[in-house]
Amino acid sequence: MDLSIVIPVLNESKKIAHDVEAAAAFLQNNNFTGEIIVVDDGSSDNTAEAAKNTKIPSEVTLNVIRYERHRGKGSAVRTAITQSHGEYVMFADSGCCVPYNNVLRGLELLKSGACNIAHGSRKIKGSHIEKSRSLYRRICAMIFHWFVILYMKIPKEFTDTQCGFKIYKGDVARQLYYGCSTDGFAFDVEIIMRARKEGYSIKEFPINWTCDRDSRLSTTRSFWSILLELAAIKRTMTDK
């Protein structure tokens, strides 16, 4: 299997069918064998049912996993990636903020041997932002960025650690996520730290991105929980 596409979702019944259709079309249009793994992170609507009922080509495998209670985005992505089968594995946020054809840029880096992990970035040359975040979210993102650089010691070369569009060599992804313990939104930081500790190379690539204002991340409600997650990550990674 060429590519596993992971889509973590929470209360996305209005978007998930389009997400699955777009992912399936990308696989088919590029002659990739692949699977789509949707993880419903305890939605209170019919997200899982909407995903299961989406009509896609028979040659594309669709696996819908549903949690009965909300566990966190990190948990959802980890569950899907550790169950994936692709030579390459990626995850993409719901809402198709990044067109799936952008995957080809990351795959080119992986296939050429330039890196083991390819991160989409909204902040490097060549990226195009169709609709940006609100000023408040941009300020919060900037504060988070400098916090992970200064406190978590993430190198400045990683310009967009939280972009929800990342691609991995499959075996690398399954190894890293199997050992990941962060259930919430800060899981990306833990994976970067684990990858660097294991000697895996990471490169960023430019993307076309449109802000989805209907985000499930509340910067106000999630602020303290994210800080606690980062502190736990640092403690865990320092102890090893």
Side-chain angles (χ1 to χ4, degrees):
M1 182 178 289
D2 296 319
L3 180 64
S4 298
I5 299 177
V6 170
I7 309 174
V9 285
L10 175 64
N11 295 327
E12 300 288 13
S13 60
K14 295 180 180 178
K15 302 176 190 173
I16 190 58
H18 178 62
D19 293 328
V20 172
E21 290 168 350
F26 170 76
L27 292 171
Q28 189 173 48
N29 292 342
N30 289 279
N31 296 314
F32 292 148
T33 57
E35 63 182 350
I36 301 167
I37 307 176
V38 176
V39 182
D40 180 350
D41 186 22
S43 295
S44 58
D45 62 9
N46 65 332
T47 295
E49 291 76 12
K52 290 177 182 177
N53 293 331
T54 305
K55 303 299 182 184
I56 59 173
S58 58
E59 57 267 29
V60 178
T61 300
L62 175 61
N63 180 15
V64 179
I65 302 168
R66 172 171 164 73
Y67 294 163
E68 290 302 319
R69 62 178 182 83
H70 177 61
R71 301 182 189 178
K73 183 180 178 182
S75 177
V77 174
R78 179 174 66 247
T79 293
I81 287 182
T82 54
Q83 295 185 30
S84 67
H85 303 90
E87 181 180 0
Y88 300 97
V89 179
M90 66 166 291
F91 74 84
D93 288 345
S94 180
C96 290
C97 297
V98 183
Y100 273 100
N101 59 12
N102 284 210
V103 175
L104 299 175
R105 301 172 183 173
L107 283 176
E108 184 178 350
L109 291 173
L110 297 176
K111 290 181 177 181
S112 69
C115 60
N116 305 108
I117 303 168
H119 287 182
S121 173
R122 296 161 287 192
K123 301 179 181 179
I124 60 175
K125 184 178 180 181
S127 293
H128 176 70
I129 307 301
E130 185 70 28
K131 181 168 70 174
S132 65
R133 291 170 286 188
S134 66
L135 176 61
Y136 175 69
R137 282 186 175 270
R138 291 200 302 272
I139 292 172
C140 290
M142 184 168 52
I143 293 170
F144 180 89
H145 173 68
W146 283 106
F147 187 85
V148 297
I149 288 173
L150 298 174
Y151 178 68
M152 305 299 291
K153 306 302 181 184
I154 298 292
K156 292 181 182 179
E157 66 191 71
F158 299 117
T159 64
D160 196 1
T161 61
Q162 303 313 111
C163 180
F165 202 78
K166 296 183 172 71
I167 312 167
Y168 308 79
K169 291 184 177 179
D171 291 343
V172 170
R174 287 181 280 271
Q175 176 196 344
L176 292 175
Y177 278 88
Y178 184 79
C180 181
S181 60
T182 304
D183 288 339
F185 282 99
F187 75 96
D188 301 88
V189 175
E190 181 182 349
I191 292 296
I192 290 172
M193 294 177 72
R194 287 183 177 276
R196 285 173 48 78
K197 199 159 192 172
E198 293 290 336
Y200 294 127
S201 57
I202 305 171
K203 287 190 177 296
E204 294 184 332
F205 63 94
I207 56 174
N208 301 315
W209 184 75
T210 300
C211 175
D212 180 1
R213 297 292 175 92
D214 184 32
S215 171
R216 296 296 168 262
L217 174 62
S218 168
T219 51
T220 302
R221 291 197 306 270
S222 303
F223 179 76
W224 290 109
S225 63
I226 291 174
L227 287 184
L228 289 173
E229 284 181 352
L230 291 175
I233 292 169
K234 185 171 183 179
R235 185 168 58 250
T236 299
M237 298 303 296
T238 302
D239 290 344
K240 293 188 175 182

